[in-house]
Amino acid sequence: GQGLPPLPALAACPRSAPMNQLTYYALCLAGGLLLVALVSAGITWLMRRREQALVLTEALNRHAVWVAAQRGGLALDLRREEADAALQLASAVQSRWFGRLGPEFGALLAIDQRIEGFLLHQQRLRYDDPEAWIESDHDGQFMALWREYVVAMEALTIRLRRATGERTGAVREGAT
């Protein structure tokens, strides 16, 4: 059996062999650099995403502080602009970085709208008919809405932690 032709000798192309080896090393180096760049971009994206999660959480907390302050005072205009700005920032971050949190964020916004409507109604009632306002159990109704708000905020926070890969329960609060 002489079915296979002989392989060409490398000596027939003396310059091509070192060039192929150099090309091979250059391609390996370029591939390695590309891999490092991709890993670096991935890590940067993850870090930026976690940073944006903190921005979202901080904005939601600023808004929640305003909502909680409405329990007793009915001072709707006091610091309302800050609360609205915080909610707008939270909305922008959520839609850009955490689109899958849309349902939870929408539920929180819906409860916020109900709270604002309730507060406006109570404010009008307080000025137009103080007796009806006193009998309306303002505090009890507000606290029921506040509990819904807290549940929605917790649901959003849990989903946000999952979305950023944060492990819940890894460190217990108050543990030494």
Side-chain angles (χ1 to χ4, degrees):
Q2 293 186 355
L4 295 175
L7 294 174
L10 289 177
C13 308
R15 292 192 159 219
S16 65
M19 192 58 138
N20 284 340
Q21 198 173 28
L22 180 63
T23 303
Y24 172 76
Y25 288 129
L27 287 174
C28 284
L29 179 64
L33 289 174
L34 179 64
L35 182 63
V36 167
L38 289 174
V39 168
S40 176
I43 291 171
T44 301
W45 181 82
L46 285 173
M47 296 303 291
R48 180 81 172 134
R49 186 170 162 92
R50 285 190 175 191
E51 177 187 336
Q52 292 302 309
L54 291 174
V55 169
L56 175 60
T57 302
E58 197 273 334
L60 288 172
N61 286 338
R62 280 189 291 143
H63 184 264
V65 166
W66 179 85
V67 173
Q70 300 310 304
R71 179 179 180 189
L74 286 177
L76 285 173
D77 296 331
L78 184 63
R79 304 187 84 171
R80 178 63 196 187
E81 288 146 11
E82 288 180 37
D84 284 343
L87 198 58
Q88 288 172 357
L89 175 61
S91 180
V93 171
Q94 180 273 320
S95 66
R96 177 158 186 216
W97 288 90
F98 305 100
R100 291 186 179 178
L101 300 180
E104 287 83 2
F105 195 77
L108 185 71
L109 290 178
I111 294 168
D112 179 66
Q113 289 297 315
R114 288 178 37 218
I115 289 172
E116 189 171 345
F118 167 75
L119 292 171
L120 288 171
H121 173 73
Q122 289 294 310
Q123 188 176 42
R124 274 186 256 126
L125 191 60
R126 183 177 184 182
Y127 293 122
D128 295 344
D129 190 355
E131 287 181 29
W133 177 74
I134 291 172
E135 294 173 0
S136 72
D137 186 29
H138 169 274
D139 194 53
Q141 290 182 55
F142 179 82
M143 288 309 295
L145 288 169
W146 173 251
R147 283 188 289 277
E148 288 182 48
Y149 185 86
V150 169
V151 167
M153 182 74 98
E154 287 175 353
L156 180 61
T157 303
I158 289 168
R159 284 287 312 271
L160 183 60
R161 283 181 177 160
R162 286 184 192 148
T164 59
E166 181 181 330
R167 294 180 185 212
T168 56
V171 177
R172 289 185 295 154
E173 293 182 32
T176 55

